[in-house]
Amino acid sequence: MEALRVLNNNVVLARDGKGQEVILTGRGIGFVSRQGKPIDPSLIVRVFVPADGRDPDHLAEVFALIGEDVLRAVVIALEEVGIEGRESTRPTLAIAIADHVAGALDRTAKGVVIEYPLRAETQALYPTEYAQAQRLLAAVNERVDPRLDPSEATALALHLVNAGFASGDLSFTYKMTGVIQQMLAVVGERYGIDVSQESMNAARFITHVRYLFVRIQQHQQLKGHESTIGKGIRHHYPEATVTAQKLATIVELRLGERLSEDEVSYLALHVARMTMDADGATPLP
């Protein structure tokens, strides 16, 4: 690794053996590094490889604005709980979490505790990320003072969910959470059933919709013209297709994106699976 720019004592912009610019963090790494000189590998705690065309200089500057102790706590905690390895292609995740932790520490020191309104939804819709967030919070709390309130796991979980989207805009994750809740409510009301979010088919539905939202944001929906498989789904599940069309309308109204015929068909397949969990479920007229 060759140092290109020293941002502060703990953040250095460097060039790796492949010739790409990377961001290095580590206690004191900037203090002993010099521009154009090799960097001591023993000082490197984490390597961030900017992806998706993100500017390495800008990201390095953002890292440099975060307090040394907070950045170190988050970087080590992410690796310790297995969310990110020593080398990361998602520096914006570490930045977002470190920035949140810094703000949470400030609030905690002032005795301010926030009750996040999406706590129940986050636990139900994103159980994997919520469990990761709880472990991450515990790992961070081992390295910061004062310790953060358990409620912060909700915000951390949403940041982990948000990491799957290209924009890095947390508001999209908030909106997605609300849309998924609305879609589940429509299925429950239409079939007169309690859509259990703990059921395997409901979990598959939620996972499918999350990836649908990724495709929408990246403008990569499934084929615009209906495929043979899509036609088969519509033929075998006509009632579920009607419900799926209602769900597609919700998506269009909330996200401003019209779903392709194949996307609607696959929604229908998941609706059919969910309603099979309930005996005698029939759609309302």
Side-chain angles (χ1 to χ4, degrees):
M1 296 279 191
E2 175 188 334
L4 298 177
R5 182 182 173 196
V6 175
L7 280 300
N8 62 23
N9 283 348
N10 312 292
V11 181
V12 173
L13 182 66
R15 179 178 289 113
D16 66 12
K18 300 177 182 177
Q20 62 184 345
E21 293 186 2
V22 297
I23 302 166
L24 309 179
T25 63
R27 186 183 291 274
I29 190 172
F31 183 74
V32 298
S33 297
R34 297 292 180 269
Q35 185 174 350
K37 301 295 184 181
I39 297 172
D40 183 353
S42 67
L43 296 176
I44 301 173
V45 173
R46 199 133 180 242
V47 180
F48 295 94
V49 185
D52 301 324
R54 298 183 187 275
D55 179 34
D57 268 293
H58 173 68
L59 288 175
E61 288 174 354
V62 175
F63 267 112
L65 293 174
I66 300 172
E68 170 191 341
D69 291 339
V70 172
L71 181 59
R72 182 173 183 272
V74 169
V75 163
I76 295 176
L78 283 167
E79 183 175 4
E80 184 176 286
V81 302
I83 294 173
E84 290 278 76
R86 188 167 182 270
E87 183 169 307
S88 169
T89 57
R90 300 186 298 176
T92 50
L93 173 61
I95 290 172
I97 291 179
D99 183 62
H100 177 84
V101 168
L105 284 169
D106 185 59
R107 291 193 301 272
T108 302
K110 296 175 181 177
V112 178
V113 177
I114 294 180
E115 283 298 326
Y116 294 96
L118 292 177
R119 182 176 182 178
E121 290 87 343
T122 302
Q123 288 178 290
L125 298 180
Y126 316 122
T128 299
E129 284 86 353
Y130 191 81
Q132 287 179 322
Q134 288 181 308
R135 296 195 299 273
L136 178 61
L137 180 61
V140 168
N141 273 338
E142 290 178 1
R143 297 171 173 85
V144 298
D145 184 36
R147 293 171 65 86
L148 300 181
D149 189 83
S151 63
E152 295 296 339
T154 299
L156 294 179
L158 289 171
H159 278 294
L160 294 178
V161 172
N162 192 58
F165 297 99
S167 70
D169 183 2
L170 197 58
S171 64
F172 189 84
T173 299
Y174 289 140
K175 182 179 291 187
M176 177 183 73
T177 302
V179 174
I180 292 175
Q181 286 289 96
Q182 188 177 357
M183 294 169 82
L184 289 171
V186 166
V187 174
E189 291 170 6
R190 179 167 172 76
Y191 288 86
I193 60 175
D194 178 17
V195 180
S196 173
Q197 293 171 356
E198 287 75 32
S199 76
M200 181 62 71
N201 285 327
R204 286 172 176 162
F205 173 83
I206 293 168
T207 299
H208 174 80
V209 173
R210 287 178 59 179
Y211 282 110
L212 165 62
F213 287 0
V214 171
R215 292 193 295 275
I216 288 174
Q217 194 185 54
Q218 297 178 350
H219 306 292
Q220 295 178 350
Q221 285 193 51
L222 299 178
K223 295 179 180 179
H225 299 290
E226 191 171 26
S227 66
T228 302
I229 294 176
K231 290 179 180 178
I233 292 172
R234 287 172 179 260
H235 175 73
H236 287 290
Y237 305 111
E239 296 295 347
T241 297
V242 173
T243 304
Q245 289 167 337
K246 293 181 180 294
L247 301 183
T249 299
I250 292 173
V251 172
E252 184 175 357
L253 290 174
R254 297 291 299 275
L255 302 183
E257 187 84 13
R258 185 179 181 84
L259 295 189
S260 69
E261 292 177 334
D262 269 353
E263 293 288 7
V264 175
S265 294
Y266 282 105
L267 274 178
L269 178 61
H270 283 282
V271 168
R273 286 174 172 171
M274 268 200 300
T275 55
M276 287 175 187
D277 283 346
D279 293 332
T282 54
L284 298 176

